[in-house]
Amino acid sequence: MGRAFEYRRAAKEKRWDKMSKLFPKLAKAITVAAKEGGTDPDMNAKLRTAIQNAKAQNMPKDNIDAAIKRADGKDADAYVEVNYEGKGPHGVLVFVECATDNTTRTVANVKSYFNKAGGSLVPSGSLEFMFNRNAVFEFEKAEDMDLEELELELIDAGMEEIEEQEGKVYVYGDYTQFGSISKALEDLNIEVTKASLQRFPTTPVDFTEEQLEEIEKMLDKVEDDDDVQAVYTNIA
């Protein structure tokens, strides 16, 4: 799991360097979360997470507040979360998560990225079983942090795996345990820098450098779309 996550994370960070794209995506996640569960972060774990992720990317407080307020506005009703699934170049499987106020526009755009790359969308639900959905938490490793001790503390909360990479700790669990792991980390006074629900391929596939280059070109276009929130693949 670590390797696939590391690859996608590195690739995503390279692309998401563009703040002009990142802030609107983070704001949209905040608005959708506030619309779904209310505008009080203390009572809405999804909103709390969206705010946390925005702060981790140094999004200004004014932007965060504006995104929360937008959930009470008349335009908020139009926002829906929708997923698309497809096959890209060299048979790569791609799962696309979107938040949009116009599904007609979004599906047309996403379809065109796949078609132009020689791929196509597949019926929704076709790839669901090809990915495991996991809660992922990321935080800095403190000097006095004992990972074995932490593992014991978090197992009861539903944690399945813990790993350290370059001074950062990643905690994984089934997506249904997102709330309990989040609360356990809060209770331990661990400041999470990023928390999300991610999809990991059940059977990761190796591609050649040339193939990856072609695949990445399509993924760039998909991830650059304003309506796209996250993209997952079966790349090993």
Side-chain angles (χ1 to χ4, degrees):
M1 187 192 284
R3 199 158 61 94
F5 174 57
E6 188 60 26
Y7 173 80
R8 293 299 302 143
R9 190 170 65 94
K12 183 163 285 185
E13 280 176 359
K14 178 191 76 181
R15 284 193 288 274
W16 273 32
D17 230 14
K18 317 156 189 167
M19 280 313 184
S20 60
K21 288 282 180 194
L22 183 54
F23 281 0
K25 287 178 193 283
L26 291 166
K28 203 179 277 189
I30 290 170
T31 302
V32 168
K35 179 197 150 195
E36 270 180 30
T39 56
D40 180 0
D42 291 335
M43 306 297 289
N44 182 347
K46 187 173 179 180
L47 176 59
R48 203 157 60 239
T49 300
I51 292 170
Q52 200 174 44
N53 291 344
K55 283 180 176 171
Q57 297 295 339
N58 300 314
M59 188 164 160
K61 188 177 183 300
D62 287 353
N63 294 37
I64 292 171
D65 292 343
I68 294 171
K69 279 201 188 85
R70 208 170 295 130
D72 284 332
K74 60 182 189 304
D75 298 337
D77 283 349
Y79 276 125
V80 292
E81 289 183 293
V82 60
N83 301 331
Y84 299 106
E85 299 160 45
K87 289 186 178 178
H90 309 291
V92 66
L93 303 181
V94 187
F95 200 104
V96 185
E97 294 180 348
C98 304
T100 177
D101 56 357
N102 185 332
T103 53
T104 309
R105 173 192 68 220
T106 309
V107 71
N109 287 346
V110 173
K111 196 183 275 185
S112 76
Y113 307 136
F114 278 86
N115 291 348
K116 283 175 186 166
S120 63
L121 290 186
V122 298
S124 277
S126 307
L127 305 185
E128 196 79 49
F129 72 100
M130 304 292 287
F131 291 87
N132 285 327
R133 203 167 184 217
N134 287 94
V136 183
F137 299 85
E138 176 187 324
F139 49 90
E140 299 289 332
K141 184 179 185 294
E143 276 181 35
D144 58 348
M145 193 178 276
D146 182 332
L147 288 193
E148 282 184 20
E149 204 176 290
L150 185 59
E151 188 171 0
L152 291 174
E153 294 267 9
L154 294 174
I155 276 174
D156 287 344
M159 185 208 74
E160 292 174 354
E161 189 181 340
I162 187 168
E163 64 180 6
E164 183 192 347
Q165 290 176 22
E166 296 170 12
K168 288 185 177 172
V169 179
Y170 298 92
V171 168
Y172 306 92
D174 188 76
Y175 77 100
T176 56
Q177 302 301 313
F178 187 93
S180 59
I181 298 172
S182 182
K183 184 170 187 322
L185 289 166
E186 271 179 36
D187 291 346
L188 291 166
N189 293 318
I190 290 173
E191 199 174 316
V192 173
T193 48
K194 220 181 269 181
S196 57
L197 291 172
Q198 298 194 19
R199 296 175 195 270
F200 294 94
T202 51
T203 314
V205 174
D206 283 304
F207 294 92
T208 66
E209 284 301 316
E210 290 78 14
Q211 289 173 331
L212 281 173
E213 212 169 290
E214 216 176 308
I215 291 167
E216 285 292 333
K217 265 186 198 164
M218 187 195 85
L219 296 180
D220 274 339
K221 289 191 170 68
V222 177
E223 287 188 345
D224 268 351
D225 191 290
D226 290 342
D227 296 333
V228 172
Q229 292 293 92
V231 176
Y232 303 103
T233 73
N234 67 334
I235 294 170

